[in-house]
Amino acid sequence: MQIAGLSFTTTHTDTALRSNTSAPAERRITPTTKGPDILARTRVYIRDIELGGNRFVVIAGPCAIESETQIHDAAALVAAHGAHILRGGAFKARTSPYTFQGLGLDGVKLMREAADRQHMPMITEVLSERDIEGMVDIVDAFQVGSRNMDNTALLKELGQTKKPVLLKRGFAATIKEWLLAAEYIIVGGNDQVVLCERGIRTFSNETRFTLDLAGAVLARQQTHLPVIVDPSHATGNPSLIPALAAATMAAGLDGLMVEVHPDPTVALSDADQALSPELYRGMMEQLHLLATVMGRPLT
Amino acid sequence: MQIAGLSFTTTHTDTALRSNTSAPAERRITPTTKGPDILARTRVYIRDIELGGNRFVVIAGPCAIESETQIHDAAALVAAHGAHILRGGAFKARTSPYTFQGLGLDGVKLMREAADRQHMPMITEVLSERDIEGMVDIVDAFQVGSRNMDNTALLKELGQTKKPVLLKRGFAATIKEWLLAAEYIIVGGNDQVVLCERGIRTFSNETRFTLDLAGAVLARQQTHLPVIVDPSHATGNPSLIPALAAATMAAGLDGLMVEVHPDPTVALSDADQALSPELYRGMMEQLHLLATVMGRPLT
Amino acid sequence: MQIAGLSFTTTHTDTALRSNTSAPAERRITPTTKGPDILARTRVYIRDIELGGNRFVVIAGPCAIESETQIHDAAALVAAHGAHILRGGAFKARTSPYTFQGLGLDGVKLMREAADRQHMPMITEVLSERDIEGMVDIVDAFQVGSRNMDNTALLKELGQTKKPVLLKRGFAATIKEWLLAAEYIIVGGNDQVVLCERGIRTFSNETRFTLDLAGAVLARQQTHLPVIVDPSHATGNPSLIPALAAATMAAGLDGLMVEVHPDPTVALSDADQALSPELYRGMMEQLHLLATVMGRPLT
Amino acid sequence: MQIAGLSFTTTHTDTALRSNTSAPAERRITPTTKGPDILARTRVYIRDIELGGNRFVVIAGPCAIESETQIHDAAALVAAHGAHILRGGAFKARTSPYTFQGLGLDGVKLMREAADRQHMPMITEVLSERDIEGMVDIVDAFQVGSRNMDNTALLKELGQTKKPVLLKRGFAATIKEWLLAAEYIIVGGNDQVVLCERGIRTFSNETRFTLDLAGAVLARQQTHLPVIVDPSHATGNPSLIPALAAATMAAGLDGLMVEVHPDPTVALSDADQALSPELYRGMMEQLHLLATVMGRPLT
């Protein structure tokens, strides 16, 4: 069965009127019991890379695509040390309309070329329903950012595509709300959803957000979708990322998304949070070491 | 000048690349000093109702439009005790795709008739860029809900219309982020923006959210846009709303948005948080009384 | 009955073992129903000043007692514009052991003289069980700060005195935890407890804390103890305090605690958050005006 | 040098008056640079068990000491699978005065016997300055709970003892506040302080608290004190604990504190959060496996 497998279905009682809902009720819930013993976990395929299986998958790349040179250098860097999928932002969700908004569709195309040269699949964020059509034949997967987790119009539209969707947790969303956002994609017929924990907003401001690792483990217990972690946005602090990447693997999660920049000091966006080439290489080496005892190979 | 008047403009430094930005920099910031002494406050007109002026404006109505009878009854009720603008949800932002999603455009039209019969302007929420075109000639104002405050594609599109926009604060947004979301509308050329505080998400779960009244007062100091408060979503508890409505007026804010239902016990959505007719009438009576000493008449 | 009147008593089920508890179970809960219609509200008397009755009580003074001149000037100032009770810190709960820790018992004595000269009662914070004995014959009321709300050893010891206790809400405490902390005092036999909301810690950092006004109103519904508000610590921003003081009265709460300093620019502690004499006078004038329609006179 | 090594010392500017401070300013800050390269980490010795060195230390035991049989069974269980130090609560910090408050000093003595029989050191929580004297010759280390992190009177008094102190992070404390609380102990002359992250209070309520693993790693960067993690209180969910224990080791932290109960179903306190013997054994096995690649042996 290709549905999210939520375990709190008994709370859906206000279904008297359903004028705008097309989801057949009988499709939406797996008959599995709650808890970590969900046997048939969903596999998501971003081209040839499987998430939710044995392999621990690393998605890496720059925060934003800035130029042809930069994205090619970044792609070469992340490929050289074993990342599986290239990430990078072309349409950027910025707090202010006066800051760099990304290169848009031109950026997506630059990224496609850079990924192809490294024989890697690529994923990039989509911000608007209207951009899906132009992107869908270029990208290998769509990313929905934390700020759009509740953009149900966007989620529904992505449910109509056949491309995998990486759904970041809203930074103020509960696990339940996150899984229900995934359902907005799945009810449209697209079950290829990867969940990504990227930090929640709390009083604690010495890291940019608070990485909810326990929440990620809990989410993986409550659904059969793959769950990965983005420590870059969660902390905004590269010196913490290798430790948290190791923790993510040790906690049994399915993968990792990190920001890497060939030269973080000149990045146009989130310059302070990208891994330098040195930190990135060290992180990957430690992951390979851990993989030997965790039974979650990277290759 | 009809722009938001943010006082933290010196932080906008990362503007080297602006490929997707069309905002002329010289338009965006007023030369006013920070603080409560902004002389020229923006007036927003929802048809003939002025917000940001002397009058304390009350926007009231049901959470969702459920039927022709219900919205007419609700409109008659809110009009009878002096509310100025009718609110009601036709497109609903629900956490789950399996709950009532609203009546859609049919609901907007039902609401239009109910508002007209009471000679009131009306406001309703928009969830998708694609719905704007169908709604723009019917509604008097658009509402952007808390979950879409970061939906910049939607905000930009609303900036292209000439209809006022009520922008709710994201429940995990800072004041600065909220004001910058308003800028996404304003840079398009639409300066008719009303800010609405509706509760933030905190550890405190004995109310549904935590009403940040101090934040609303602070926002009003930092911008010349009108700022109102929605205590219904903030608390989810009708017994608290009259006290918080009085507090909103006493704090010098520009108005109030509340949920009222002719019979809350049968509401299809947020049944527990709507004011009953009795609580609503009592609230309005107390506001009239306070208005006599606050210099903010309701009529 | 002189007990806190909690309405969630059915949750106290784990009472099988009570080796360290002396509270007779039958004393602790009033038979009243939940909600705002608790008829017999507890009156707390700080010398001749009644809290929980008709009068809206204002407690004002400097954050810390710094010198004989400063506390006398401050007392004269707060008395001149109608505050009822003098506040001031002698034992200071500071985050760092390297910052000013207060004048200690000498400060308490200086404050006593200043209060007597103005014919006002006084209240000051106690940090340690061991300081109670030295303070109890000097002060008119004890304050327990937000950081000690969970210091049950201190609360129990204060329950053995006959002096009123103003119990601030812990900045990460739920309403239920706050009321149960009050029970720690009350079970010892001292029912003279005033609750004070002073802001909770949230992601929102543009005010120092987030004032939970709705929580204060809710607490007043759930107990018969007086509930007041401290907007000084909640916001750390004097320009917001007059608006929030007016909101506190309009919301039907029992009083206010504010920091006032004869010259905030030279204060040794929390210099940025004290009301200047001008802001304080303006606040009191507005409260007097509101009192005419709220039925909560200040005199 | 035996001091906390904080890196934010330039913010301590309000030191004009120091009447209650005895700390010599020149002692308090190490000359080390900020960051993970603090060479000389402090070693804390709980009897013969070293924290802050190479070994990954596990502290385990029941939430509360309930009876002689229960604590002996628990001590035998935790010793059998390799925990190094016995934990257990005799004085309990409970939210309500009407719930089980612990066995007090009798419980401390029962625990001493149980620990001795297993040749383990023991640690237990202290709630009151007045209890220190009776406990100091029995216990091997004191624990200060999350709710007392700001109880500076208690911290100062513990600084006068020679026994190690495990200082839990307040559940709403910043890293900076936590390190400064440690300074309250250290300035008294006792440098044997272990920091323990145990979850912070956030909006996220699907786990009991939110484990701030990144905060623990950051704290370890900013001080030379040992930093450990308590996933039991952080999550309140035993099924998450083995994954988080592995993550704690992988993140490079110094140890772990967990609640284990011979039969969780009959526990008098926090029954739902203790590890069963089976989960505990599985967790220890996985830690041993990870230790082989992490260079942090358990033995």
Side-chain angles (χ1 to χ4, degrees):
Chain A
M1 294 271 286
Q2 297 294 1
I3 37 190
L6 307 182
S7 53
F8 36 77
T9 60
T10 53
T11 63
H12 300 168
T13 54
D14 49 338
T15 49
L17 246 155
R18 282 178 182 252
S19 62
N20 282 3
T21 306
S22 59
E26 71 281 4
R27 283 201 69 229
R28 79 187 196 253
I29 301 299
T30 58
T32 60
T33 54
K34 186 176 179 173
D37 37 14
I38 292 175
L39 292 178
R41 300 199 68 81
T42 292
R43 262 70 169 175
V44 175
Y45 295 90
I46 299 186
R47 249 176 35 202
D48 59 323
I49 303 296
E50 180 190 80
L51 289 106
N54 235 28
R55 186 192 277 177
F56 185 83
V57 174
V58 178
I59 305 172
C63 178
I65 300 154
E66 300 166 9
S67 69
E68 186 171 350
T69 306
Q70 175 253 13
I71 186 64
H72 279 272
D73 288 355
L77 171 64
V78 302
H81 300 295
H84 308 95
I85 300 172
L86 181 64
R87 61 144 288 154
F91 296 95
K92 300 297 299 171
R94 301 304 298 271
T95 303
S96 165
Y98 307 119
T99 49
F100 177 44
Q101 306 279 307
L103 297 179
L105 203 56
D106 289 343
V108 179
K109 291 171 188 168
L110 290 178
M111 193 182 168
R112 175 77 271 165
E113 292 164 21
D116 285 347
R117 193 178 299 178
Q118 304 300 332
H119 310 290
M120 298 174 85
M122 59 161 275
I123 180 170
T124 194
E125 184 170 355
V126 59
L127 294 182
S128 163
E129 306 157 62
R130 292 191 171 150
D131 293 330
I132 294 174
E133 192 179 341
M135 296 169 74
V136 72
D137 291 331
I138 308 176
V139 304
D140 298 313
F142 288 103
Q143 177 179 317
V144 175
S146 186
R147 288 173 174 76
N148 275 310
M149 192 202 85
D150 287 318
N151 184 344
T152 53
L154 182 64
L155 299 177
K156 286 177 180 172
E157 190 100 356
L158 290 167
Q160 303 299 321
T161 74
K162 296 293 168 203
K163 287 286 165 79
V165 180
L166 185 145
L167 177 65
K168 290 205 167 181
R169 179 179 176 188
F171 55 68
T174 63
I175 304 296
K176 179 177 170 177
E177 289 168 344
W178 187 21
L179 297 186
L180 285 170
E183 294 269 4
Y184 268 99
I185 301 168
I186 293 168
V187 295
N190 181 357
D191 72 331
Q192 293 287 290
V193 178
V194 177
L195 301 171
C196 180
E197 156 66 21
R198 48 77 73 207
I200 58 174
R201 191 161 265 185
T202 73
F203 73 87
S204 184
N205 57 7
E206 285 151 302
T207 48
R208 192 167 165 186
F209 290 87
T210 297
L211 179 65
D212 186 11
L213 191 68
V217 175
L218 183 63
R220 197 172 181 277
Q221 284 185 1
Q222 294 188 344
T223 180
H224 47 63
L225 299 174
V227 179
I228 71 169
V229 164
D230 170 357
S232 296
H233 285 87
T235 65
N237 181 342
S239 78
L240 301 174
I241 291 173
L244 297 172
T248 297
M249 178 183 273
L253 296 164
D254 296 300
L256 197 64
M257 174 179 257
V258 288
E259 288 189 5
V260 179
H261 196 283
D263 184 356
T265 60
V266 302
L268 287 175
S269 165
D270 286 345
D272 296 338
Q273 81 186 22
L275 287 170
S276 66
E278 289 68 31
L279 280 171
Y280 166 61
R281 187 173 52 238
M283 178 192 85
M284 292 301 290
E285 284 168 5
Q286 197 187 16
L287 289 177
H288 277 284
L289 195 62
L290 273 174
T292 61
V293 294
M294 289 297 300
R296 296 295 291 270
L298 279 87
T299 51
Chain B
M1 293 274 285
Q2 298 293 3
I3 37 190
L6 307 183
S7 53
F8 36 76
T9 61
T10 53
T11 63
H12 302 167
T13 54
D14 48 337
T15 50
L17 245 154
R18 283 176 182 253
S19 61
N20 282 3
T21 306
S22 59
E26 72 280 4
R27 283 201 69 230
R28 76 186 198 253
I29 302 296
T30 58
T32 61
T33 55
K34 185 176 179 174
D37 38 13
I38 291 175
L39 292 178
R41 299 197 69 81
T42 292
R43 262 68 169 176
V44 175
Y45 295 90
I46 299 186
R47 249 177 35 203
D48 58 323
I49 303 296
E50 181 191 79
L51 288 107
N54 236 27
R55 185 191 278 176
F56 185 84
V57 173
V58 178
I59 304 172
C63 179
I65 300 155
E66 300 166 9
S67 69
E68 186 171 351
T69 306
Q70 175 253 13
I71 186 64
H72 278 273
D73 288 354
L77 171 65
V78 301
H81 300 293
H84 307 95
I85 299 172
L86 181 65
R87 61 144 287 155
F91 296 94
K92 299 298 299 170
R94 301 305 298 274
T95 303
S96 164
Y98 307 119
T99 49
F100 176 43
Q101 306 278 308
L103 297 180
L105 203 56
D106 290 342
V108 178
K109 292 171 186 167
L110 289 178
M111 194 184 167
R112 176 76 272 167
E113 292 165 21
D116 285 346
R117 193 178 298 178
Q118 304 299 332
H119 310 289
M120 298 174 84
M122 60 160 275
I123 180 170
T124 195
E125 184 169 353
V126 59
L127 294 183
S128 164
E129 307 156 63
R130 295 192 169 148
D131 293 329
I132 294 175
E133 191 180 341
M135 296 169 74
V136 72
D137 291 332
I138 307 177
V139 305
D140 298 312
F142 288 104
Q143 176 179 315
V144 175
S146 185
R147 287 175 175 75
N148 274 310
M149 193 202 84
D150 287 318
N151 184 344
T152 53
L154 182 65
L155 299 177
K156 286 177 180 173
E157 188 102 355
L158 289 168
Q160 303 299 321
T161 74
K162 295 295 168 202
K163 287 286 165 79
V165 179
L166 185 145
L167 178 63
K168 291 205 165 181
R169 178 179 177 188
F171 54 67
T174 63
I175 304 296
K176 178 177 172 179
E177 289 168 343
W178 187 21
L179 298 185
L180 285 170
E183 294 270 4
Y184 268 97
I185 301 168
I186 292 167
V187 295
N190 180 358
D191 73 331
Q192 294 286 290
V193 178
V194 178
L195 301 171
C196 180
E197 156 65 22
R198 49 75 73 207
I200 58 175
R201 192 162 265 185
T202 73
F203 73 86
S204 184
N205 58 6
E206 285 150 301
T207 48
R208 191 165 164 188
F209 291 87
T210 297
L211 179 65
D212 186 10
L213 191 67
V217 175
L218 183 64
R220 197 172 181 276
Q221 285 183 1
Q222 294 188 343
T223 180
H224 46 63
L225 299 174
V227 180
I228 71 169
V229 165
D230 170 358
S232 296
H233 284 87
T235 64
N237 181 343
S239 77
L240 301 174
I241 292 174
L244 298 172
T248 297
M249 178 184 274
L253 297 164
D254 296 301
L256 198 64
M257 175 178 256
V258 288
E259 289 189 5
V260 180
H261 196 283
D263 183 355
T265 59
V266 302
L268 286 175
S269 165
D270 286 346
D272 296 338
Q273 82 186 22
L275 287 170
S276 66
E278 291 67 31
L279 279 172
Y280 167 59
R281 186 170 55 237
M283 178 192 86
M284 292 301 289
E285 284 168 6
Q286 195 188 18
L287 290 178
H288 277 284
L289 194 64
L290 273 173
T292 62
V293 295
M294 289 297 298
R296 296 297 290 272
L298 279 86
T299 52
Chain C
M1 294 270 287
Q2 299 293 1
I3 37 190
L6 307 183
S7 54
F8 34 77
T9 60
T10 52
T11 63
H12 300 167
T13 54
D14 49 338
T15 49
L17 244 156
R18 285 178 180 252
S19 61
N20 283 2
T21 307
S22 58
E26 72 280 3
R27 280 202 70 231
R28 79 186 196 252
I29 303 296
T30 59
T32 61
T33 55
K34 186 176 179 175
D37 38 14
I38 292 175
L39 293 178
R41 298 198 70 81
T42 293
R43 262 68 170 177
V44 174
Y45 295 91
I46 299 186
R47 249 182 30 208
D48 58 324
I49 302 296
E50 181 191 79
L51 288 108
N54 237 27
R55 185 191 276 175
F56 185 83
V57 174
V58 178
I59 305 173
C63 179
I65 300 155
E66 300 166 8
S67 70
E68 185 170 352
T69 305
Q70 175 254 13
I71 187 63
H72 278 273
D73 288 355
L77 171 65
V78 302
H81 300 293
H84 307 96
I85 299 172
L86 182 65
R87 62 143 287 153
F91 296 95
K92 299 298 298 171
R94 301 305 297 274
T95 303
S96 165
Y98 307 119
T99 49
F100 176 44
Q101 306 279 306
L103 296 179
L105 204 55
D106 290 343
V108 179
K109 291 171 186 167
L110 289 177
M111 193 184 169
R112 176 78 268 167
E113 292 165 21
D116 285 346
R117 193 179 297 178
Q118 304 299 332
H119 310 291
M120 296 174 85
M122 60 161 274
I123 179 170
T124 195
E125 184 170 352
V126 59
L127 293 182
S128 162
E129 307 157 61
R130 292 191 170 148
D131 293 330
I132 294 174
E133 190 178 343
M135 296 169 74
V136 71
D137 292 331
I138 307 177
V139 305
D140 298 313
F142 288 103
Q143 177 179 316
V144 175
S146 185
R147 287 175 175 74
N148 274 310
M149 192 203 85
D150 286 319
N151 184 343
T152 53
L154 182 64
L155 299 176
K156 286 177 180 173
E157 190 101 355
L158 289 168
Q160 304 298 321
T161 73
K162 296 294 168 203
K163 287 287 165 78
V165 180
L166 185 145
L167 178 64
K168 291 206 166 180
R169 179 179 176 189
F171 54 68
T174 63
I175 305 295
K176 178 176 172 178
E177 289 168 344
W178 188 20
L179 298 185
L180 285 170
E183 294 269 4
Y184 268 99
I185 301 168
I186 292 169
V187 295
N190 181 358
D191 73 331
Q192 294 287 289
V193 177
V194 177
L195 300 171
C196 180
E197 156 64 24
R198 48 76 73 207
I200 59 173
R201 190 161 266 185
T202 74
F203 73 86
S204 183
N205 58 7
E206 286 150 301
T207 48
R208 192 166 165 187
F209 291 87
T210 298
L211 179 65
D212 185 11
L213 191 67
V217 175
L218 184 63
R220 197 172 181 275
Q221 284 184 1
Q222 294 188 342
T223 180
H224 47 63
L225 299 174
V227 179
I228 72 170
V229 165
D230 170 358
S232 296
H233 284 85
T235 65
N237 181 343
S239 78
L240 301 174
I241 292 173
L244 297 172
T248 298
M249 178 183 273
L253 297 165
D254 296 301
L256 199 63
M257 175 177 257
V258 288
E259 289 189 6
V260 180
H261 195 283
D263 184 355
T265 61
V266 302
L268 286 175
S269 165
D270 286 345
D272 296 337
Q273 81 185 22
L275 287 169
S276 66
E278 290 68 30
L279 279 172
Y280 166 59
R281 186 171 56 238
M283 178 192 85
M284 292 301 289
E285 283 168 7
Q286 195 187 18
L287 290 178
H288 277 285
L289 195 62
L290 273 175
T292 61
V293 294
M294 289 297 299
R296 297 295 292 268
L298 278 87
T299 52
Chain D
M1 292 271 286
Q2 298 292 2
I3 38 192
L6 307 183
S7 53
F8 35 79
T9 61
T10 53
T11 63
H12 300 168
T13 55
D14 49 339
T15 49
L17 245 155
R18 285 177 181 252
S19 61
N20 282 4
T21 307
S22 59
E26 72 280 2
R27 282 201 68 231
R28 78 183 196 256
I29 302 297
T30 59
T32 61
T33 56
K34 185 177 180 173
D37 38 13
I38 292 176
L39 293 178
R41 300 198 67 83
T42 293
R43 263 66 170 177
V44 176
Y45 296 90
I46 299 186
R47 249 177 34 206
D48 58 325
I49 302 295
E50 181 191 79
L51 288 107
N54 237 26
R55 185 192 279 176
F56 185 83
V57 173
V58 178
I59 305 173
C63 178
I65 300 154
E66 300 166 9
S67 69
E68 186 169 352
T69 305
Q70 174 252 13
I71 186 64
H72 277 273
D73 288 354
L77 171 65
V78 301
H81 299 292
H84 308 96
I85 299 172
L86 181 65
R87 60 144 288 153
F91 296 94
K92 299 299 298 172
R94 301 305 298 273
T95 304
S96 164
Y98 307 119
T99 48
F100 176 44
Q101 305 280 308
L103 296 178
L105 204 55
D106 290 343
V108 179
K109 291 172 187 168
L110 289 178
M111 193 184 168
R112 177 76 271 166
E113 292 165 21
D116 285 348
R117 193 178 299 178
Q118 305 298 333
H119 309 289
M120 298 173 85
M122 60 161 274
I123 180 171
T124 195
E125 185 171 352
V126 60
L127 294 183
S128 163
E129 307 157 63
R130 293 191 170 148
D131 293 330
I132 294 174
E133 192 179 343
M135 295 168 74
V136 72
D137 291 333
I138 307 177
V139 303
D140 298 312
F142 288 104
Q143 177 180 314
V144 175
S146 185
R147 288 174 174 75
N148 274 310
M149 192 203 85
D150 287 318
N151 183 344
T152 53
L154 181 65
L155 299 177
K156 286 178 180 173
E157 190 101 356
L158 289 167
Q160 304 299 320
T161 73
K162 297 294 168 204
K163 287 287 164 80
V165 179
L166 184 145
L167 178 63
K168 291 205 166 180
R169 179 180 177 188
F171 55 68
T174 63
I175 304 296
K176 179 176 171 179
E177 289 168 345
W178 186 21
L179 298 185
L180 284 170
E183 293 271 2
Y184 269 98
I185 301 169
I186 293 168
V187 295
N190 181 359
D191 73 332
Q192 293 287 290
V193 178
V194 178
L195 300 172
C196 180
E197 155 66 22
R198 48 76 73 206
I200 59 174
R201 191 162 267 186
T202 73
F203 73 86
S204 184
N205 58 7
E206 284 151 301
T207 48
R208 192 167 165 186
F209 291 87
T210 297
L211 179 65
D212 186 10
L213 191 68
V217 175
L218 184 63
R220 196 171 182 277
Q221 284 184 1
Q222 294 188 343
T223 180
H224 46 63
L225 299 174
V227 179
I228 71 169
V229 164
D230 170 358
S232 296
H233 285 86
T235 64
N237 181 343
S239 76
L240 302 174
I241 292 174
L244 298 172
T248 297
M249 178 183 273
L253 297 164
D254 296 300
L256 197 65
M257 175 178 257
V258 288
E259 288 188 7
V260 179
H261 196 283
D263 183 356
T265 60
V266 302
L268 287 174
S269 166
D270 286 344
D272 295 338
Q273 82 185 21
L275 287 169
S276 66
E278 289 69 30
L279 280 172
Y280 166 60
R281 185 172 54 238
M283 177 191 86
M284 293 300 289
E285 283 168 7
Q286 194 186 19
L287 290 177
H288 277 284
L289 195 62
L290 273 174
T292 60
V293 294
M294 290 296 300
R296 296 297 290 271
L298 279 88
T299 50

